[in-house]
Amino acid sequence: MKKVLRIKLKKERAILSDTLPYETPITFSNRFFYDFIVGNSLGCINGKVAWKKLDDANDAVIHLLFGLSEEEKNDIAEDGEFRSFEIKNGTPITVPFQYGISHKEDSYRKLSVPHPRNQLQVIEFYDKFKELILYYSIRSNFSLRHPSRIANTRLFDDERKSASVILSNQFDKSIAYKNKHIKSFFGYQKIRNIHEFFESSTYHQCEKRYNSMAQLDVSKCFDSIYTHSIAWATLGKVVVKDELANSGIKSLNNSFASEFDLLMQKQNYNETNGILIGPEISRIFAELILQKVDFNLEGTLGKSSIYRDVHYSIFRYVDDYFVFFNDKKVYKVIVDSLVDCLSSYKLGLNTEKELIYSKPIITEITIAKRKISELLNDKIKIEVETVDDRFDDQGRPIKTGKIFIHGKTLITSYKSILSESGTEYKSVINYTLTIVESKLKSIFKKYSEIEYEYKTQRDLLDAIDACIEFCFFIYNVAPRANTTIKLSRVLKQIIEFCKSRLVEIDEMHHVFKSISDNVSFVIHKYETQNYTQVETLYLLTVISELGKDYWLTEPTLVKYFGGRYETKRTISFDGSLNYFSITVILFYMKNKKRYDRARKGIKRIIKTKLTAPGISIRKDTEAFLLLMDCISCPYLEDNFKRTLLKHFGIGKRKLQSEIMALRDNWFTKWKDFSFAEELDSKQSDEVY
């Protein structure tokens, strides 16, 4: 039975849902920074920063967060139990932490984490303008995904529908934890992901009404967006330009548009061309602009007597357009008009990505998914039978089972489906892994209910082996960050089952060896020179779950992270090793003696990155995140932490000790880490 709970949501939850990319390491989140903000009542309103007086350690962290000089600290005012200061000369610009994820076969996409100080501003911006965001999100008749309400305040005891982590029946005991996994600040219409559109009644109705469908893509949408165009989209381009010309100023001060414009600029080193890729707030910014493009497009077509739902139907999912039509001449007018409407906002179409489907309108991906579903239903299953007249000690009917996973033909059949449908692996891997996870979950549950038989257990272990090989086969073709999360969920099911009483120790190690070998293959295959891919960092955490017998050797780990042996005792790492790689390798090595040399090498890189000339935690997002996580890391010595704090102006030993003891976790979860809970949390966060 579902349990429904209403929770009063705090405005600070915006930084839990809308300011970070989804594709981050499993050890990283804003949950503990959220605790710090709420605990200190820290806020940034109208250029004024205020917080509750607690102690010197909390004050010192706030000083670090805002990069206050000694002179600026002297300007801090006190009013009762609160302290505050004015941000002079506007909010300082910051450099986001950028990292790469696989995008195409031979290229990467840069995702960005804004400085935590900028994320604080998002909290206040949402709180101040949430109603206007909703207002400007409903002008388009084409948009499939846009903010439509403030997010629901209910949580369900149902993993698929909840933003919480449900691992036991202790629902009430973990409310605070669940509250940190609300999916998004806003509720969205009309769909959660594009696959829902292809399965919707609306799509099927368009298939009946029209002969053709075209798929169009806005070229480098987020990279191309001109931040000032938010004012054009919300107030009108002519109105804005006239106002600016008449007033002689460069922005519409204090308006919704100007504040949104400045917010996006400040978190991106004052850039006006392009916005950060990854955070949900960037998608909202783009959505408001494209809403106006859609509105203008419909009006333009209407002037040519081309009407929506008569001559055409258009749907847009973020920056992808789907155009249904019967007349090719009408379609040409639509495309030309769309190009004109986009160009008004300094955007354009990627003509190389244009795809046109004729009746029957069914995409290659839809064909492939249907066949994959049939394949997995046929080749991964368990059949349970009740034995007549036999009962267990509690009077329940005894059940027997037969398990079918035809591993040898699974890969071959899968390849044939993709070849026949003309679909790329990357388009269906997540879908496939989701089905495999569900299938294994069902098999493991049913297996726990049947009577033990040697042959059935052997069949089960063979089936697990087959699933492992199949999953890694399809993963290795096109690894992506979200695909690695799906693969990790499959492996989590297998690991948890193998650790149960239903599997013998030797058999467990046989399965673990298979997982370990496959992960090692991935690590060797995707060794990197410049930075370690977020997608494969997850697999290090999977290896950790297997136990000490499967720890990677130090040379393997060092090579994976681009390190080298200068001498037998000295390991050096490339200076391009980024924050995520540093924290994940520290998390993996922990305080194991076998990695002492590698740990020393990582400490040298940390010190170099944080003490290099020109590094400022006031401006540099990566430096601030790295400093805070090093301070709380239980695998670094106190003297090393003191050296870092002293470099940033905190020289008193007592205050250093208080800051080091202030929190167990800042952005990386060093302590009380649960692989299963964090994976469930990650699934909950997936909203796009």
Side-chain angles (χ1 to χ4, degrees):
M1 182 178 177
K2 293 177 183 177
K3 297 179 181 178
V4 181
L5 180 70
R6 290 191 177 274
I7 293 178
K8 184 178 179 181
L9 301 178
K10 298 179 181 293
K11 65 179 182 179
E12 289 83 3
R13 68 193 174 92
I15 69 159
L16 295 172
S17 59
D18 284 50
T19 60
L20 299 178
Y22 171 69
E23 299 89 344
T24 61
I26 194 170
T27 50
F28 173 84
S29 77
N30 261 350
R31 295 202 303 271
F32 309 104
F33 182 52
Y34 167 88
D35 288 339
F36 176 76
I37 292 171
V38 172
N40 283 271
S41 299
L42 177 61
C44 181
I45 306 173
N46 297 326
K48 182 178 181 180
V49 177
W51 69 96
K52 187 187 296 184
K53 289 191 297 183
L54 292 179
D55 52 47
D56 291 342
N58 279 284
D59 283 356
V61 171
I62 292 170
H63 299 165
L64 288 171
L65 172 63
F66 286 90
L68 298 185
S69 64
E70 290 302 318
E71 182 181 350
E72 288 171 320
K73 291 176 189 176
N74 292 331
D75 292 334
I76 293 175
E78 293 196 15
D79 182 9
E81 61 175 344
F82 281 87
R83 289 176 173 161
S84 65
F85 65 87
E86 298 284 344
I87 302 177
K88 297 179 180 178
N89 302 319
T91 305
I93 60 175
T94 57
V95 181
F97 166 50
Q98 293 191 315
Y99 60 99
I101 63 166
S102 295
H103 179 47
K104 297 178 181 177
E105 189 172 339
D106 57 351
S107 66
Y108 294 92
R109 168 173 282 171
K110 285 283 188 181
L111 300 186
S112 300
V113 175
H115 197 289
R117 186 171 65 248
N118 295 116
Q119 296 181 46
L120 268 174
Q121 292 175 299
V122 173
I123 294 171
E124 302 306 333
F125 178 80
Y126 270 22
D127 191 50
K128 182 177 180 181
F129 291 117
K130 54 183 178 290
E131 300 298 339
L132 271 178
I133 290 175
L134 294 176
Y135 171 76
Y136 286 120
S137 296
I138 58 173
R139 293 175 298 170
S140 169
N141 288 314
F142 303 155
S143 180
L144 290 169
R145 182 186 186 274
H146 59 86
S148 63
R149 64 188 186 283
I150 307 303
N152 205 330
T153 59
R154 292 176 296 171
L155 292 176
F156 297 88
D157 190 4
D158 178 334
E159 184 179 306
R160 295 180 62 85
K161 295 182 180 178
S162 174
S164 59
V165 178
I166 309 290
L167 293 177
S168 69
N169 291 325
Q170 296 178 321
F171 186 74
D172 295 328
K173 294 182 180 180
S174 56
I175 289 172
Y177 184 76
K178 296 187 189 89
N179 194 16
K180 296 175 195 174
H181 297 290
I182 302 297
K183 282 192 174 185
S184 57
F185 187 90
F186 294 102
Y188 287 81
Q189 291 282 18
K190 306 171 183 173
I191 60 173
R192 291 174 299 176
N193 57 63
I194 190 59
H195 307 300
E196 289 185 6
F197 171 59
F198 292 124
E199 297 165 3
S200 68
S201 59
T202 300
Y203 181 84
H204 296 315
Q205 288 169 4
C206 287
E207 284 183 300
K208 295 176 184 177
R209 181 183 300 175
Y210 301 101
N211 295 324
S212 302
M213 181 193 80
Q215 185 173 334
L216 304 167
D217 174 67
V218 178
S219 180
K220 296 182 178 179
C221 180
F222 286 55
D223 291 317
S224 303
I225 283 178
Y226 181 53
T227 62
H228 293 337
S229 65
I230 189 68
W232 308 345
T234 55
L235 301 174
K237 190 171 183 178
V238 174
V239 172
V240 170
K241 285 188 171 291
D242 286 347
E243 175 65 23
L244 296 182
N246 294 333
S247 63
I249 59 175
K250 294 183 179 180
S251 66
L252 301 170
N253 293 329
N254 301 319
S255 68
F256 165 70
S258 69
E259 290 202 29
F260 210 169
D261 181 359
L262 288 172
L263 181 66
M264 302 307 285
Q265 286 183 51
K266 293 296 184 184
Q267 64 186 13
N268 193 25
Y269 207 30
N270 254 16
E271 288 287 342
T272 57
N273 290 315
I275 59 176
L276 300 187
I277 299 176
E280 178 63 25
I281 189 172
S282 293
R283 286 190 280 275
I284 290 175
F285 190 84
E287 177 64 26
L288 300 193
I289 293 169
L290 291 173
Q291 284 263 334
K292 183 61 172 178
V293 170
D294 296 349
F295 180 83
N296 291 345
L297 175 60
E298 185 174 355
T300 299
L301 293 174
K303 291 175 183 177
S304 299
S305 299
I306 299 175
Y307 302 111
R308 179 174 61 90
D309 294 338
V310 177
H311 302 100
Y312 71 91
S313 288
I314 294 178
F315 303 92
R316 177 179 53 78
Y317 183 76
V318 189
D319 57 355
D320 289 319
Y321 281 89
F322 302 89
V323 182
F324 290 88
F325 62 95
N326 289 317
D327 190 327
K328 291 182 180 179
K329 292 180 180 178
V330 168
Y331 173 65
K332 186 179 186 311
V333 174
I334 291 172
V335 173
D336 290 344
S337 300
L338 178 56
V339 168
D340 287 342
C341 290
L342 286 169
S343 66
S344 296
Y345 293 87
K346 299 184 181 291
L347 298 171
L349 285 179
N350 185 346
T351 54
E352 293 181 2
K353 284 191 175 182
E354 181 185 37
L355 296 172
I356 297 179
Y357 301 92
S358 297
K359 219 167 195 177
I361 303 172
I362 182 168
T363 66
E364 299 91 340
I365 296 174
T366 303
I367 295 170
K369 282 186 173 181
R370 179 175 55 79
K371 291 185 176 180
I372 289 169
S373 178
E374 292 172 355
L375 173 70
L376 298 181
N377 283 332
D378 179 56
K379 294 192 178 296
I380 303 179
K381 60 185 177 182
I382 181 171
E383 292 181 356
V384 177
E385 294 181 353
T386 301
V387 181
D388 293 336
D389 302 324
R390 289 185 61 193
F391 302 90
D392 62 16
D393 295 340
Q394 297 179 345
R396 294 173 300 194
I398 289 176
K399 299 177 182 179
T400 59
K402 294 180 181 179
I403 295 167
F404 304 91
I405 297 185
H406 304 279
K408 292 182 180 179
T409 60
L410 193 55
I411 293 175
T412 303
S413 300
Y414 190 83
K415 290 194 292 186
S416 296
I417 289 171
L418 299 193
S419 176
E420 292 167 4
S421 63
T423 305
E424 295 180 286
Y425 277 85
K426 67 179 183 180
S427 301
V428 292
I429 290 178
N430 284 351
Y431 176 79
T432 304
L433 292 175
T434 299
I435 294 178
V436 173
E437 179 194 356
S438 177
K439 287 286 192 183
L440 285 176
K441 195 172 185 179
S442 175
I443 287 174
F444 293 156
K445 183 177 185 301
K446 291 179 180 178
Y447 181 81
S448 67
E449 300 170 353
I450 64 176
E451 184 179 42
Y452 171 81
E453 290 182 359
Y454 177 78
K455 183 181 183 307
T456 306
Q457 187 170 55
R458 292 309 316 163
D459 288 344
L460 175 65
L461 293 171
D462 289 343
I464 291 174
D465 277 343
C467 279
I468 292 171
E469 292 302 321
F470 173 68
C471 290
F472 274 99
F473 168 78
I474 62 174
Y475 171 78
N476 273 301
V477 176
R480 297 286 189 276
N482 57 358
T483 303
T484 310
I485 295 170
K486 298 291 187 186
L487 174 64
S488 298
R489 290 190 62 82
V490 172
L491 297 177
K492 182 201 80 166
Q493 292 288 341
I494 293 172
I495 292 169
E496 288 183 342
F497 176 75
C498 288
K499 287 181 177 180
S500 73
R501 60 180 178 78
L502 298 171
V503 179
E504 299 292 335
I505 293 293
D506 290 345
E507 293 163 341
M508 179 190 77
H509 283 297
H510 170 81
V511 174
F512 284 7
K513 176 71 163 52
S514 176
I515 294 174
S516 175
D517 288 346
N518 276 285
V519 172
S520 295
F521 175 81
V522 174
I523 286 173
H524 285 299
K525 182 177 179 180
Y526 295 102
E527 287 165 357
T528 180
Q529 296 179 351
N530 296 322
Y531 46 74
T532 300
Q533 299 175 15
V534 169
E535 35 269 54
T536 53
L537 291 179
Y538 270 79
L539 298 180
L540 284 181
T541 315
V542 172
I543 285 284
S544 296
E545 291 299 300
L546 301 181
K548 64 180 182 179
D549 295 327
Y550 302 93
W551 291 346
L552 296 176
T553 65
E554 186 182 71
T556 298
L557 193 65
V558 168
K559 189 177 180 183
Y560 174 59
F561 281 94
R564 63 186 181 279
Y565 286 81
E566 299 287 355
T567 67
K568 287 186 177 180
R569 295 188 176 183
T570 306
I571 295 171
S572 65
F573 290 91
D574 191 283
S576 62
L577 201 66
N578 69 25
Y579 159 70
F580 280 158
S581 296
I582 290 169
T583 52
V584 170
I585 192 174
L586 282 173
F587 178 86
Y588 181 81
M589 293 188 298
K590 294 183 170 53
N591 50 13
K592 300 183 180 80
K593 290 191 68 64
R594 66 166 64 187
Y595 301 126
D596 280 350
R597 291 174 298 179
R599 195 178 300 105
K600 288 178 182 177
I602 290 295
K603 285 164 59 180
R604 283 193 291 272
I605 282 294
I606 292 170
K607 194 168 182 180
T608 298
K609 289 180 81 72
L610 290 179
T611 62
I615 290 297
S616 165
I617 56 175
R618 177 190 183 100
K619 180 178 71 174
D620 193 300
T621 302
E622 183 177 20
F624 179 79
L625 297 175
L626 183 59
L627 173 65
M628 299 312 296
D629 275 346
C630 285
I631 288 171
S632 60
C633 178
Y635 315 121
L636 296 174
E637 302 87 350
D638 284 356
N639 285 340
F640 179 75
K641 299 176 184 180
R642 292 182 191 279
T643 300
L644 299 180
L645 287 170
K646 186 175 181 181
H647 176 76
F648 290 104
I650 300 175
K652 295 180 180 178
R653 270 186 86 82
K654 181 174 181 294
L655 182 56
Q656 289 174 349
S657 298
E658 290 172 351
I659 293 172
M660 287 153 48
L662 188 60
R663 291 190 173 273
D664 289 337
N665 309 294
W666 279 101
F667 299 95
T668 293
K669 190 170 186 179
W670 303 113
K671 295 185 178 180
D672 301 320
F673 180 86
S674 166
F675 181 59
E677 286 184 2
E678 296 304 324
L679 269 182
D680 285 336
S681 164
K682 204 67 180 177
Q683 175 172 277
S684 165
D685 292 339
E686 187 177 20
V687 296
Y688 171 64

